[in-house]
Amino acid sequence: MAETSDPRPDGSGVSPSFLRDARGLQRKLVEEYYARLGSPDRSRPVAYMLVGGNLAEIVRSFGYEVVFPEIVALNCAIKHQSLDNILHAESMGYGLDVCGYVKNDLGLQDRDGRTSFGQIPRPDLLVCSFSGCYVYVKWWEALAESYGVPLFMFDVPYMREEHPRKEDIDYLVSQLWDLIHLLEKRTGRAFDMDALKGMLVESRRAEDGWVDFLRAGRLRPSPIEAYFESIFYMFPINVLRGTREAADFYGVVNEEVRARVRDRTYPLPEEKVRVLVEGVPPYTNYRTFWDFFRKWGAVSVVATYPKVGGLFDRGFRHDPARPFESIAEYSLGAYVNQSWPLRRKIIADYVREYRADAAIIHGIKSCRSFTAGQGDLRDWLNRDQGLPTLYIESDHEDPRYFAPAQIKNRMDAFFESLEQRRAVGAAGGPATA
Amino acid sequence: MADLLAIQDPPPERADAVEGDRVELAADFREFGDAHSIEEILRLAREVLGDPTFPTARAWRKAGGRAVGCFPVYTPQEIVHSFGLLPVALSGGGENLEISRADAALGSFLCSISKSTLEAALTGLLEPFDAYLFPYICDVSRNLEGIFSRVLPSRPSHMLHLPQNFTSPSAIPFLVAEYRSLIAKLERLTDRPFSPEQLGRSIELFNEQRALVARLAALQRDAPGKIGLVEYYLLRRLGGLLPREVHIPLLRRALAEIERRERKNKDAIPILLVGPFCEQPTLDLLQLIEDVGCYVVGDELQMLHHWCPSIVPGPDPLESLATAYLRTPVDIGVRLTPTTKGAAIQARLDAARAQGVVFLTAKFCEPALEDVVLYRRALEHRRVPYLHMEFEEKSTTYEQARLQLETFVESILFD
Ligand code: SF4
Ligand code: SF4
């Protein structure tokens, strides 16, 4: 099985003609963001927030800078800095089983917030959007104790039906007003509805562009890598949503995707297997993990992880005409805030819409929210949906749990058996997996 | 692999996963009515706990009753009761359940209670239940409900979102709406309309049970010499398994006997037992804590009985339930702390006049584990001795635990 040639200077092996302008722009946005956060003359107060169900537009409309410790943690992992933070957190008493994001963050803050990509400022306010992960509550409690700053708890009902109840929206909207009053008190500024609506216009524009990008995975061959490439492009939709830069960014991305289709520049020279990927990536080794796919001509055409910040591809948009209601609806839509029956439905729809041939589930040892039940999901995909599915496990933050030889062997065996089954099918034998 | 999640229907007569004999109780629970000494009650309790086939739920069914399995920590059992259903606390498989199938479905790095509960579902042991109720106490319990909905499709399960915002005035109508979603399922299950009057009566009954449990806890705190930790635990544990109408008189009799005891307090160290709010430690481990010279004067065992002291009746019983849940500050790993962990543990130490803390956390229980770090920091700051131990349902050797506990006790005695 030939590997894609033309390695990048960073050794990733990914074609430079595949990742071009958009990747460069994304890097620039990331650098500018961290430079702003670390700037010594920063005058804006800082709010910490979680990605799922976040209230970035509201908080930004009061002039806050927003820090997402999950994003900082994954940046640390990609840059191979997470282990030091994790070990430090373990020395503080956090056990092996605690979520790697939490340990990275708490270890990092105890080491004064210094990273190679910037200084992470201390928070003035903690906004916990409890949307899909109970660890959020524990994490924010720990931050509140160590920083001694107020914690606003935004309690987001877990989604068990496809549509929220009126009481869910009422509850959420009422909490949003409580947050507004808190922000008014803390900043001495009056709430500016027009400023919020203006941001929601930009959010919506970014969401349209992001969804266009994700849906390109439906093309055959897919011009995008819906898992590994999305990891880069999630940054603007999750971190910078509500800004013009984020909305413009997806214009550049989609222009590039159109150019790929025109020029027939695809993630791989030949798309042999269209894969659905479920689960958080092993950020510490994600390029190695990507190589394990590429070796077999496997392209991820759709993935659940990019939906952690919101299910925009299922139709949701922020709406300046219904600012509070739409923010409330948004907060419910984090992928992990969907019950297993809803997750299964989303995945079944993806398999059909994106014509996936197989699924890879990547379980995270220290993340129960995403992972508890993925074994059952594998069984359901294999048995009930007839989709060949492989479950592998490592960690998103902790490189000690990434066993490359073991993961590669399992993926090789999986893709090989898929190839064999296809060969038998092509020769007139049983075609299903 | 092919039959990984196949549920036998009807379930097997006897699941292979179970070790030991099944306990058969009379449909009217007369064994408990006839048990007049604490020894007799405790013997029955041990038998019931040793049998993971839910003997009390099976007995209830013999008389045509229906039962609902309720996962810890807090569920509105009064609502279940008001439909004539028996709410039964699911407290894991204990020591007598082998896990063979749940690992593959649920994943590794998870607490034993989640695995043994799923194992029980996969092997037909949850057959005595007509429905299951899971509160959103953590991501594991929440996801477990999602798996139940697939592996036991013919038995309704319900995930209850318990609010984490305790100050919002809208949390009460929200929680009432949550209760109403549960009620809709129970109405379908029982073919009976919800009756607020009946719920009011159920609340009164559970208040009675709570008051007795509180009396028991006060005895354990103020006169620990009179009651052993395992006794105390078993009496409370029965309260989540038996019909409350059976448990209440039983507890009254037990209390009267304990209160009459002439035993003096020993020279033991009064401690708080923090962490086992969901998965339950073995009886041997509890016994060991006492054997090494500790009195447990405050704990998180069997929280279902003392989440709220008493539910104040009001014109709308659902609102009363919701108000009690939201307005009772409880410091526990699965609820946003109302103050700080430092303030919380100090208040509990003061209230119980405890000298130290034993953290007994279920292995892989992230909510408990994360709290321990904050609690420890606060205790070190206040120079309060503590010990942290992890446990699993199927703990068999206790040498290490004994050593740790003995060292802890000695360090306090000779400090
Ligand atoms: S969803 Fe998983 S990775 Fe994210 S904070 Fe929760 S436990 Fe950690
Ligand atoms: S023991 Fe802990 S992790 Fe397990 S279900 Fe209970 S609260 Fe959740």
Side-chain angles (χ1 to χ4, degrees):
Chain A
M1 182 64 48
E3 295 251 353
T4 312
S5 56
D6 200 3
R8 288 179 72 87
D10 62 5
S12 69
V14 178
S15 161
S17 58
F18 172 58
L19 294 178
R20 288 187 311 196
D21 309 349
R23 178 73 176 103
L25 180 55
Q26 182 262 358
R27 277 205 186 98
K28 184 166 159 283
L29 291 176
V30 173
E31 281 164 16
E32 285 173 358
Y33 169 72
Y34 284 115
R36 221 170 35 243
L37 290 184
S39 157
D41 53 2
R42 182 182 48 76
S43 56
R44 288 147 66 102
V46 172
Y48 276 21
M49 228 180 261
L50 292 143
V51 171
N54 73 70
L55 307 174
E57 292 90 346
I58 290 182
V59 173
R60 283 207 175 101
S61 78
F62 279 88
Y64 276 81
E65 200 63 81
V66 182
V67 171
F68 294 89
E70 291 155 295
I71 306 276
V72 174
L74 72 86
N75 282 135
C76 287
I78 288 178
K79 293 183 185 302
H80 306 292
Q81 293 162 25
S82 55
L83 186 58
D84 286 346
N85 295 329
I86 286 173
L87 291 174
H88 187 77
E90 286 175 4
S91 76
M92 291 158 65
Y94 287 96
L96 273 176
D97 327 318
V98 169
C99 166
Y101 278 169
V102 176
K103 284 197 286 188
N104 182 88
D105 181 50
L106 299 177
L108 176 66
Q109 54 122 323
D110 204 52
R111 301 169 78 213
D112 294 329
R114 273 191 298 274
T115 71
S116 69
F117 45 92
Q119 174 70 40
I120 309 304
R122 295 167 63 89
D124 301 289
L125 176 67
L126 297 160
V127 179
C128 182
S129 47
F130 170 43
S131 176
C133 173
Y134 188 73
V135 169
Y136 287 172
V137 176
K138 308 312 298 173
W139 186 356
W140 254 235
E141 273 182 343
L143 289 176
E145 293 221 358
S146 60
Y147 287 118
V149 296
L151 188 168
F152 180 82
M153 175 53 63
F154 181 55
D155 179 29
V156 180
Y158 188 53
M159 289 295 281
R160 293 141 289 173
E161 305 287 337
E162 273 191 83
H163 301 289
R165 295 170 304 205
K166 180 185 171 299
E167 289 87 350
D168 298 336
I169 300 298
D170 290 349
Y171 180 39
L172 289 162
V173 168
S174 135
Q175 293 180 81
L176 293 178
W177 280 111
D178 291 342
L179 176 64
I180 299 265
H181 296 141
L182 175 71
L183 292 167
E184 284 185 325
K185 224 162 88 187
R186 287 191 68 78
T187 59
R189 281 164 71 154
F191 170 54
D192 182 345
M193 181 64 100
D194 290 337
L196 177 66
K197 286 183 176 176
M199 283 189 201
L200 295 183
V201 170
E202 295 298 350
S203 296
R204 195 183 178 108
R205 206 157 64 82
E207 288 153 10
D208 285 340
W210 170 235
V211 170
D212 285 348
F213 166 75
L214 294 171
R215 292 207 172 134
R218 292 177 176 178
L219 296 173
R220 198 174 196 130
S222 165
I224 67 160
E225 243 298 341
Y227 190 58
F228 295 103
E229 194 184 5
S230 294
I231 288 168
F232 301 127
Y233 302 158
M234 284 165 72
F235 182 84
I237 194 73
N238 286 335
V239 178
L240 305 176
R241 206 187 59 229
T243 66
R244 179 176 299 169
E245 290 78 13
D248 290 347
F249 173 78
Y250 293 102
V252 175
V253 172
N254 288 322
E255 193 47 54
E256 188 171 311
V257 172
R258 279 189 286 275
R260 288 178 196 170
V261 176
R262 209 173 43 236
D263 306 344
R264 298 176 178 282
T265 311
Y266 296 111
L268 291 175
E270 189 187 355
E271 178 186 277
K272 291 189 174 172
V273 192
R274 294 171 65 82
V275 182
L276 175 146
V277 184
E278 146 86 12
V280 185
Y283 276 115
T284 55
N285 289 275
Y286 92 94
R287 283 185 187 279
T288 310
F289 190 45
W290 191 352
D291 284 344
F292 296 163
F293 284 71
R294 294 169 52 248
K295 177 184 172 191
W296 293 94
V299 175
S300 65
V301 294
V302 63
T304 53
Y305 177 66
K307 322 298 159 50
V308 288
L311 290 165
F312 303 114
D313 63 332
R314 308 280 289 180
F316 171 80
R317 293 292 182 277
H318 280 94
D319 184 355
R322 306 164 48 246
F324 278 64
E325 289 74 12
S326 71
I327 292 173
E329 288 162 9
Y330 161 73
S331 69
L332 295 159
Y335 176 68
V336 280
N337 198 46
Q338 315 306 305
S339 67
W340 266 120
L342 294 178
R343 273 170 80 171
R344 287 194 286 266
K345 179 166 190 315
I346 291 168
I347 289 171
D349 290 348
Y350 281 166
V351 170
R352 202 181 55 253
E353 291 164 11
Y354 289 79
R355 290 177 290 169
D357 307 312
I360 301 274
I361 302 174
H362 181 247
I364 298 289
K365 291 191 189 240
S366 69
C367 169
R368 281 100 197 154
S369 172
F370 230 111
T371 309
Q374 281 181 333
D376 181 58
L377 177 71
R378 171 197 45 199
D379 185 66
W380 173 77
L381 281 168
N382 270 326
R383 285 200 334 161
D384 298 9
Q385 305 293 303
L387 188 77
T389 301
L390 175 71
Y391 177 80
I392 43 179
E393 205 170 53
S394 73
D395 197 64
H396 51 343
E397 284 287 304
D398 194 332
R400 294 171 294 182
Y401 290 126
F402 190 83
Q406 195 189 48
I407 293 174
K408 181 171 178 300
N409 282 347
R410 298 202 55 213
M411 288 181 69
D412 284 351
F414 177 70
F415 284 124
E416 195 174 343
S417 76
L418 213 60
E419 239 179 31
Q420 280 167 4
R421 275 187 271 185
R422 285 177 153 195
V424 172
T432 51
Chain B
M1 179 70 196
D3 68 341
L4 171 69
L5 298 176
I7 292 289
Q8 292 87 345
D9 202 13
E13 204 28 51
R14 183 198 159 90
D16 292 341
V18 183
E19 296 162 5
D21 291 327
R22 279 182 174 224
V23 174
E24 293 302 332
L25 299 171
D28 60 1
F29 298 90
R30 84 175 67 102
E31 297 86 344
F32 291 91
D34 293 346
H36 283 287
S37 70
I38 294 217
E39 279 66 42
E40 280 173 81
I41 296 170
L42 296 184
R43 182 186 50 76
L44 283 168
R46 281 180 187 277
E47 279 177 22
V48 166
L49 251 62
D51 178 355
T53 69
F54 297 95
T56 61
R58 285 191 287 107
W60 178 257
R61 284 173 77 92
K62 282 183 201 160
R66 302 170 101 185
V68 176
C70 301
F71 201 75
V73 173
Y74 166 82
T75 45
Q77 303 193 31
E78 293 86 343
I79 295 178
V80 176
H81 181 269
S82 74
F83 280 89
L85 299 160
L86 175 66
V88 175
L90 299 176
S91 299
E95 295 164 87
N96 298 325
L97 190 64
E98 281 302 330
I99 307 295
S100 64
R101 301 161 86 179
D103 270 339
L106 201 51
S108 48
F109 285 69
L110 295 177
C111 55
S112 331
I113 186 173
S114 60
K115 290 185 186 178
S116 62
T117 305
L118 182 58
E119 187 73 24
L122 293 172
T123 52
L125 291 176
L126 295 187
E127 159 63 12
F129 299 103
D130 295 275
Y132 312 95
L133 181 50
F134 291 84
Y136 187 172
I137 48 162
C138 70
D139 303 321
V140 181
S141 68
R142 180 199 74 184
N143 287 9
L144 191 57
E145 189 276 330
I147 302 174
F148 264 58
S149 66
R150 177 172 175 247
V151 301
L152 297 175
S154 59
R155 306 283 168 96
S157 65
H158 186 78
M159 215 286 310
L160 186 77
H161 182 102
L162 295 170
Q164 289 290 340
N165 185 334
F166 295 95
T167 52
S168 163
S170 308
I172 291 177
F174 167 75
L175 187 50
V176 169
E178 280 291 310
Y179 292 156
R180 288 204 181 278
S181 298
L182 167 66
I183 285 169
K185 284 191 185 170
L186 296 176
E187 284 182 327
R188 277 198 296 277
L189 178 73
T190 56
D191 216 8
R192 247 167 94 154
F194 167 64
S195 157
E197 296 72 33
Q198 183 51 54
L199 176 58
R201 286 191 287 277
S202 297
I203 288 175
E204 275 173 33
L205 182 81
F206 279 72
N207 273 347
E208 214 180 321
Q209 188 191 30
R210 274 193 198 94
L212 292 170
V213 171
R215 227 169 98 193
L216 196 67
L219 263 174
Q220 175 74 17
R221 184 189 62 222
D222 301 330
K226 287 194 182 205
I227 176 169
L229 178 61
V230 170
E231 271 182 319
Y232 164 71
Y233 175 74
L234 288 173
L235 287 171
R236 278 165 58 181
R237 181 89 184 256
L238 278 177
L241 298 171
L242 288 171
R244 304 326 185 248
E245 295 81 353
V246 176
H247 185 245
I248 287 171
L250 175 142
L251 198 50
R252 266 211 193 93
R253 291 196 306 277
L255 270 165
E257 185 179 329
I258 294 165
E259 280 164 348
R260 275 196 307 274
R261 284 177 177 166
E262 293 282 326
R263 298 184 202 162
K264 293 255 174 314
N265 286 356
K266 287 185 295 192
D267 196 14
I269 312 235
I271 58 140
L272 295 182
L273 189 61
V274 175
F277 48 78
C278 178
E279 185 173 316
Q280 299 296 286
T282 59
L283 298 181
D284 287 342
L285 188 51
L286 292 179
Q287 186 61 55
L288 188 60
I289 293 172
E290 210 162 57
D291 287 350
V292 298
C294 293
Y295 274 148
V296 173
V297 290
D299 67 90
E300 295 180 352
L301 297 158
Q302 295 296 297
M303 283 299 293
L304 77 163
H305 302 299
H306 54 173
W307 187 281
C308 357
S310 174
I311 291 165
V312 182
D316 177 352
L318 288 176
E319 228 179 87
S320 302
L321 270 180
T323 307
Y325 172 78
L326 285 158
R327 301 290 176 252
T328 310
V330 180
D331 279 298
I332 184 171
V334 290
R335 174 183 168 133
L336 180 74
T337 192
T339 52
T340 62
K341 293 289 169 195
I345 201 83
Q346 189 62 54
R348 287 166 71 182
L349 282 162
D350 291 346
R353 293 186 297 280
Q355 284 178 19
V357 179
V358 171
F359 295 105
L360 193 58
T361 59
K363 200 162 161 50
F364 301 123
C365 175
E366 193 162 358
L369 285 171
E370 294 200 17
D371 273 3
V372 169
V373 181
L374 302 186
Y375 281 138
R376 281 170 46 168
R377 206 177 288 158
L379 294 175
E380 279 162 20
H381 185 68
R382 292 168 169 80
R383 303 178 61 81
V384 175
Y386 67 82
L387 170 69
H388 180 201
M389 299 194 301
E390 290 190 15
F391 69 93
E392 288 182 278
E393 283 183 351
K394 276 184 84 73
S395 309
T396 44
T397 58
Y398 298 99
E399 262 123 69
Q400 171 78 359
R402 174 181 286 278
L403 197 69
Q404 286 176 289
L405 282 161
E406 282 174 349
T407 314
F408 169 68
V409 168
E410 279 162 18
S411 73
I412 298 176
L413 286 176
F414 302 113
D415 193 21

